[in-house]
Amino acid sequence: MKVPISWLKDYVDILLSVTELAERLTLAGLEVSGIEYLGIEGASLPWDRDRIVVAHILAVRPHPNADRLVLADVDYGAGQVETVVTGAPNLFPYLGKDIRHLNLKSPFALEGALLFDGHKDDGSKMVLRGRAVRGIMNRHMLCSEKELGISDDHTGILILDADAPTGMPLADVLGTAILDIELTPSMARCASIIGVAREVAALTGQRVRYPDYTNLPLEGPSLSERVVIKTENAPLNPRFCAALIEGIQIGPSPYWMQLRLRLAGMRPINNVVDVSNYVMLEVGQPNHAFDYDALRARADRYAGSGQPIQIITRLAREGERIQTLDGVERVLQPFTMLVTDPAGPLSIGGIMGGAESEVHAGTRNILLEAAAWDFINIRRSVQAYGLNSEAAYRFSRGVHPAQAWFGALRAAQLIQRLAGGVIARDIIDYYPAPPPAITVDLPLAEVRRILGVDLPPQEVRRILEALEFQVDEPEKDVLYVTAPDHRMDIGADVVGRADLIEEIARVYGYDRFPNTQIEDVMPPQRDNLALLHEELIRDLLVEAGLQEVMTYRLTSPQREALLCPPGATLDKRPYVTIANPINPERTVMRHSLLAGILDVLAQNLRQRERVVVFELGPVFLPSSEGSELPDEVPALCIVLAGQREPVVWQGSDTRLMDFFDLKGIIEALLEGLHVSRPTFQPADNPTYYPGRTANVLVDNETVGVFGQLHPLVQEAFDLPRQVPVLAAEIDLRCLETHIPSHFTVRPLPRFPVVRQDIALVVDENIPAQQVEAAIMQAGGRLLAGVRLFDVYRGAQIGSGKKSLAYTLTFSAEDRTLTDQEVARVQARIVRSLESSLGAQLRG
């Protein structure tokens, strides 16, 4: 938000320099991200106080030697009249006329003044020098906005307001600094000049001067007899104020208002629209002007002549449309609040008016509206239509209904002042749902405890009252604090003690707090095991060469249904649906990480030959305890596709990854987590290739599934059919119960290990993992490791048999093992396998 200091000074005295003020505001939570300067020190062109002044144009005479030039007689406060030559088109209407009574004022630059060159567009500057123009000596200049650096407008001289003091330095009239304030949502109450003035007053010990709009001249006929207001949904539109101004004259607004609007980032249009925008920026209450005659004509068509105009606020109906002021016809959503009459919509409430009742050059009577709207409903409508108006910006962050009345009075006052007309009696104030006042009890001991600073009670009270809180002290050392209207923001701004203490702290000054040791007892420190496990899993997978990805948590049932081939059983568990989805592809919370990560895989495989990625994140399942909130189950998904190794110049293994590459990664992960011996069992899962799928079990509990993706699933996700896609889905909630809280670390062996190979013939249906487990059990403490290195099937060992060859590693911590010790252990292993599995030592 841009805040001109000259405008801010209308409401509060500023005794600090601009930079000091910016620092104080930033420390108090209103971050000043930049300062612009116009005409004063710090600007790219400061206006010379002695050479650039306000002048009164007394007469405009023809140039004797040029039809496109005129002579202007100018009084600039020096006690003599100066004649200048100018070709400004906006002076020609005054040629030869008596204009002294018009008080025509303009910036006047004396010889030697530094100005921007009005005939160049590169920002060049020039020093004004006297010269003859068509035989007339011209030493000085009447200036345009471009020459002063206000804008690029060079079509005519700048006409100031008639009350600008003749001879006053222009820097004192128009010069100012503009603060660019970055407002956070919690400071939305400061989205106005008066809102910032309140903060400045509280920080500097000054008082706010509010505009006086209490004694409006209400002279016209009664408005309540001609307009009826009602709402069909009071919580979404708790207040609606309306005023009628008749007999106005549409025209340009005065220069002071136009300049303020432009410095604040808005474009001047005409006096009525400019007042509407000015009041919104000044008070923080958006308002809207309807062409009253257009409303009257609509009412005559649907109700008959002489019947009151009915203004109704309600939700949009199916199929309703409106053409908004930006010229776009919009199909209205059923959650949108409208300002309507029985003939149909007039405007989108709190966001943008409709074109049919727009104020135009011929408008003579206007119905002014200032209302309050539910901020959540406004946010939803803004997102639906992409209408980010200045009014919507404020309403979507919360404007208290109390501000509607002040906004209506102030706008009516300024419109009458600038456009003339008569304000009708009985300004309508329809207030069906006033919010309750918010009062918070604040023990002073709590202020000391939270802040760690012993602020005197009178200082606490002074700060709160400076922020316009009402403070009572019915009990000793306890304050009862009632929030002012502009602070309640539909109850979201001040709701408890912490909010008040934060206000005290920021106004007192965070920079004034001493560095002290905390005095409160520290709560017991406990590890967040779930987070630690997730970080460890990330580290292990990255060490294994995988990259982490993050996908949308929002998806659609149709997208996740692609994980099952046609005819397979789908996941029947209900989804968590989104009440206000951002698009049709993001309507529910995901049940699986796999669909999202396969989309990532499809995009990356178009660019590279090898993709190895994983994702850690929650999936959202129906609550197991009947809660309305879903269970957020932490999950891990791993996906591999492409070549086994990255391509390098020394040569690489260009074979494609298969089931066992993924199995190795899972084994390395579980080993890094120190999970006790996992097992793998063949499994059936519709997402995966039959016969190439396995469950991961730990202590006989299934913690995940992995395998090669089903070809039809690959096709559904637009993945290349010739490249096997390997995927694993791990339930981290189940896996975490098997991760030990501690484990034993053994030193590296001091004595050499002994390795021997052994080949065993077993039945075909006996898994190699079962054989390995039997070997480890029989080997005892001297057997340090078992590794399968060969599987053989053939006529030499008979039908229904297979040969499994293992490398056995033997080790002792206190000695070098002898051949006899190793032979005894190996013989024990063979005997155990013969008796338990029917295995035979292969010769």
Side-chain angles (χ1 to χ4, degrees), residues 296-606:
R296 180 70 268 168
R298 287 166 62 102
D300 291 344
R301 289 198 301 270
Y302 66 72
S305 179
Q307 295 299 313
I309 296 172
Q310 296 183 44
I311 301 295
I312 307 162
T313 65
R314 58 169 173 82
L315 292 171
R317 293 168 184 159
E318 189 70 29
E320 280 192 304
R321 297 171 176 264
I322 186 174
Q323 183 177 357
T324 46
L325 292 176
D326 57 1
V328 177
E329 185 177 63
R330 304 178 189 276
V331 178
L332 299 169
Q333 300 296 325
F335 51 77
T336 299
M337 281 295 288
L338 303 176
V339 179
T340 71
D341 61 13
L346 295 169
S347 72
I348 301 177
I351 300 178
M352 187 172 287
E356 185 174 349
S357 57
E358 179 183 6
V359 172
H360 52 85
T363 297
R364 292 296 172 263
N365 308 304
I366 62 169
L367 183 69
L368 180 71
E369 164 255 312
W373 307 94
D374 176 73
F375 70 103
I376 294 177
N377 184 267
I378 293 292
R379 288 180 191 174
R380 188 178 184 188
S381 297
V382 166
Q383 187 177 35
Y385 306 118
L387 276 173
N388 293 303
S389 65
E390 287 288 336
Y393 171 84
R394 286 159 176 81
F395 280 130
S396 66
R397 286 157 177 78
V399 179
H400 192 273
Q403 302 306 301
W405 179 247
F406 303 122
L409 295 179
R410 180 61 167 162
Q413 178 193 60
L414 288 175
I415 288 174
Q416 186 187 50
R417 182 188 303 172
L418 303 183
V422 176
I423 304 175
R425 288 184 293 110
D426 302 335
I427 293 179
I428 297 176
D429 183 16
Y430 181 67
Y431 204 174
I438 294 179
T439 300
V440 179
D441 63 297
L442 181 64
L444 294 173
E446 187 71 0
V447 178
R448 289 191 292 270
R449 189 187 74 82
I450 296 294
L451 298 184
V453 176
D454 191 8
L455 292 180
Q458 59 271 25
E459 177 68 5
V460 173
R461 183 165 191 151
R462 182 198 67 79
I463 291 174
L464 291 173
E465 290 179 342
L467 291 167
E468 301 186 11
F469 288 89
Q470 179 184 332
V471 182
D472 298 309
E473 192 173 358
E475 302 177 26
K476 187 180 171 131
D477 292 335
V478 178
L479 303 179
Y480 283 77
V481 184
T482 301
D485 289 343
H486 63 272
R487 289 301 305 270
M488 295 200 286
D489 290 357
I490 322 301
D493 186 12
V494 177
V495 295
R497 296 173 181 175
D499 302 310
L500 294 176
I501 294 172
E502 180 184 6
E503 293 301 297
I504 295 168
R506 68 180 190 83
V507 174
Y508 177 75
Y510 293 120
D511 54 322
R512 297 173 61 187
F513 281 71
N515 294 325
T516 58
Q517 292 292 328
I518 189 169
E519 294 183 0
D520 266 6
V521 177
M522 290 291 291
Q525 302 300 300
R526 298 183 177 90
D527 288 336
N528 185 339
L529 291 179
L531 180 61
L532 292 176
H533 291 157
E534 286 188 12
E535 290 301 317
L536 178 57
I537 290 170
R538 283 189 174 90
D539 292 342
L540 291 170
L541 291 176
V542 170
E543 288 175 5
L546 280 71
Q547 288 183 302
E548 184 177 10
V549 298
M550 297 180 69
T551 63
Y552 284 108
R553 298 185 181 191
L554 304 180
T555 184
S556 66
Q558 296 78 13
R559 193 63 182 167
E560 289 205 341
L562 299 178
L563 293 173
C564 290
T569 302
L570 298 175
D571 186 353
K572 297 298 184 181
R573 292 174 296 186
Y575 281 93
V576 179
T577 58
I578 307 303
N580 185 25
I582 56 176
N583 63 52
E585 297 179 357
R586 311 286 178 206
T587 58
V588 299
M589 305 297 285
R590 64 189 178 190
H591 276 181
S592 168
L593 302 181
L594 186 56
I597 206 169
L598 288 180
D599 289 333
V600 173
L601 181 68
Q603 296 174 16
N604 281 272
L605 281 179
R606 299 188 187 103

Side-chain angles (χ1 to χ4, degrees), residues 29-101:
L30 280 77
E31 180 184 356
V32 178
S33 60
I35 306 175
E36 301 173 27
Y37 297 90
L38 176 66
I40 61 175
E41 184 179 354
S44 58
L45 177 64
W47 298 330
D48 190 321
R49 297 179 61 82
D50 297 325
R51 290 188 172 93
I52 302 178
V53 298
V54 175
H56 182 189
I57 302 175
L58 304 175
V60 180
R61 298 180 285 113
H63 192 292
N65 302 319
D67 294 337
R68 295 186 179 181
L69 300 175
V70 296
L71 304 178
D73 296 333
V74 173
D75 173 14
Y76 63 96
Q80 62 183 15
V81 175
E82 188 73 28
T83 298
V84 296
V85 180
T86 177
N90 54 341
L91 284 184
F92 277 79
Y94 305 110
L95 188 60
K97 297 180 181 178
D98 183 7
I99 60 173
R100 290 177 179 268
H101 66 285

Side-chain angles (χ1 to χ4, degrees), residues 748-749 751-759 782-789 805-812 816-819 821-823 825-826 829:
L748 292 173
F751 300 95
V753 298
V754 178
R755 292 186 178 88
Q756 290 193 357
D757 295 341
I758 184 173
L782 294 183
L783 181 61
V786 180
R787 182 176 65 85
L788 176 69
F789 70 86
Y806 293 91
T807 296
L808 308 182
T809 301
F810 300 91
S811 174
T816 300
L817 294 175
T818 65
D819 291 343
E821 289 178 299
V822 173
V825 175
Q826 183 171 332
I829 292 172

Side-chain angles (χ1 to χ4, degrees), residues 562 565-566 686-690 692 708-721 723 725:
L562 299 178
T687 302
Y688 296 92
Y689 202 114
R692 302 179 188 178
Q708 182 177 333
L709 212 62
H710 196 289
L712 294 179
V713 175
Q714 284 193 218
E715 183 179 351
F717 281 89
D718 197 24
L719 293 164
R721 300 184 62 180
V723 178
V725 175

